[in-house]
Amino acid sequence: DAGVIQSPRHEVTEMGQEVTLRCKPISGHDYLFWYRQTMMRGLELLIYFNNNVPIDDSGMPEDRFSAKMPNASFSTLKIQPSEPRDSAVYFCASRSTGTPRGNEQFFGPGTRLTVL
Amino acid sequence: GENVEQHPSTLSVQEGDSAVIKCTYSDSASNYFPWYKQELGKGPQLIIDIRSNVGEKKDQRIAVTLNKTAKHFSLHITETQPEDSAVYFCAASKNSGYSTLTFGKGTMLLVSP
């Protein structure tokens, strides 16, 4: 398996623009997580899905953030409108509860977002 | 909710020395404690984990210890090598389906040749 795939790897945009981050989890994994990483706040969980259903979005900072998982192999995190304080690295992770190592989360390479 | 404190935030050692990173957690119901390593430009990767029914676990040069009474756990790296240089994160969670990981703020380990 190729692991968790994220695109784009880098995104530079201007304040006010819409940004869409994409994630393809590992095939067969039933959980998908979106994290944001900054120097100040570390790794923060934004939202997670189980079998494509959002379970907890309490970490989503504002209504400007939204996430979807239309099927088991694809998820998006959208920021509209983007602001400079959204600049961070966004990670997607997945895990499978049906394996002996069901607690292990597998992280993608991340998307580095810069909002000017 | 769970709160995980990690220290030190940075750690510099000479190649061959040992490195120790410590974490404390707040929720006594937590029973799964993984450690992740993040290399520059990459996502975190699990390197070792421990569950509450075990006090210590080893895997070659790395080991984790857990003290449930004191609610703290530690990562020990022996005979450090330059390729051990990375950011290390501890985390805690309950061992249930909907459980999520709460991460510490990370420790940047620098191993000098």
Side-chain angles (χ1 to χ4, degrees):
Chain A
D1 202 312
V4 176
I5 299 172
Q6 290 187 247
S7 65
R9 293 295 312 276
H10 303 272
E11 177 80 31
V12 180
T13 190
E14 293 191 345
M15 182 173 62
Q17 296 298 306
E18 177 179 298
V19 175
T20 299
L21 311 181
R22 297 173 176 80
C23 175
K24 176 178 168 51
I26 293 173
S27 177
H29 281 197
D30 54 345
Y31 278 83
L32 183 140
F33 305 82
W34 282 101
Y35 290 90
R36 178 171 67 176
Q37 184 176 42
T38 60
M39 289 294 293
M40 289 297 295
R41 301 173 70 91
L43 268 168
E44 302 175 275
L45 177 64
L46 300 178
I47 184 172
Y48 74 99
F49 296 82
N50 175 225
N51 292 323
N52 315 337
V53 177
I55 302 302
D56 186 350
D57 66 354
S58 60
M60 297 286 258
E62 298 171 35
D63 290 344
R64 299 183 295 107
F65 286 69
S66 62
K68 294 182 179 180
M69 192 165 184
N71 57 62
S73 58
F74 183 66
S75 178
T76 59
L77 178 67
K78 186 176 293 187
I79 308 173
Q80 165 64 14
S82 59
E83 296 184 3
R85 59 192 167 125
D86 301 330
S87 297
V89 181
Y90 291 81
F91 288 102
C92 175
S94 69
R95 82 169 198 228
S96 170
T97 52
T99 66
R101 298 195 60 79
N103 287 99
E104 181 177 358
Q105 292 187 20
F106 295 81
F107 282 77
T111 295
R112 180 173 294 277
L113 173 65
T114 302
V115 183
L116 303 174
Chain B
E2 175 67 276
N3 182 50
V4 177
E5 300 285 339
Q6 181 174 349
H7 60 93
S9 57
T10 59
L11 179 59
S12 294
V13 300
Q14 291 292 121
E15 182 177 0
D17 288 350
S18 294
V20 181
I21 303 170
K22 298 182 178 182
C23 291
T24 60
Y25 61 99
S26 61
D27 189 345
S28 57
S30 290
N31 54 13
Y32 174 65
F33 308 94
W35 287 87
Y36 282 78
K37 176 183 181 182
Q38 184 178 22
E39 296 176 339
L40 195 63
K42 297 183 179 180
Q45 182 176 13
L46 180 72
I47 55 171
I48 195 168
D49 57 13
I50 192 168
R51 299 178 191 277
S52 61
N53 58 344
V54 175
E56 182 176 359
K57 183 177 179 180
K58 276 188 176 182
D59 184 2
Q60 299 182 351
R61 295 186 298 108
I62 60 174
V64 290
T65 58
L66 171 65
N67 183 328
K68 281 223 78 178
T69 303
K71 290 192 280 189
H72 64 70
F73 56 113
S74 301
L75 176 71
H76 304 253
I77 306 174
T78 58
E79 301 172 27
T80 55
Q81 301 167 4
E83 51 264 40
D84 294 329
S85 297
V87 179
Y88 292 81
F89 293 94
C90 62
S93 80
K94 301 179 185 65
N95 192 22
S96 64
Y98 281 166
S99 63
T100 59
L101 292 174
T102 301
F103 285 89
K105 288 287 179 61
T107 296
M108 180 175 293
L109 174 64
L110 177 61
V111 181
S112 303

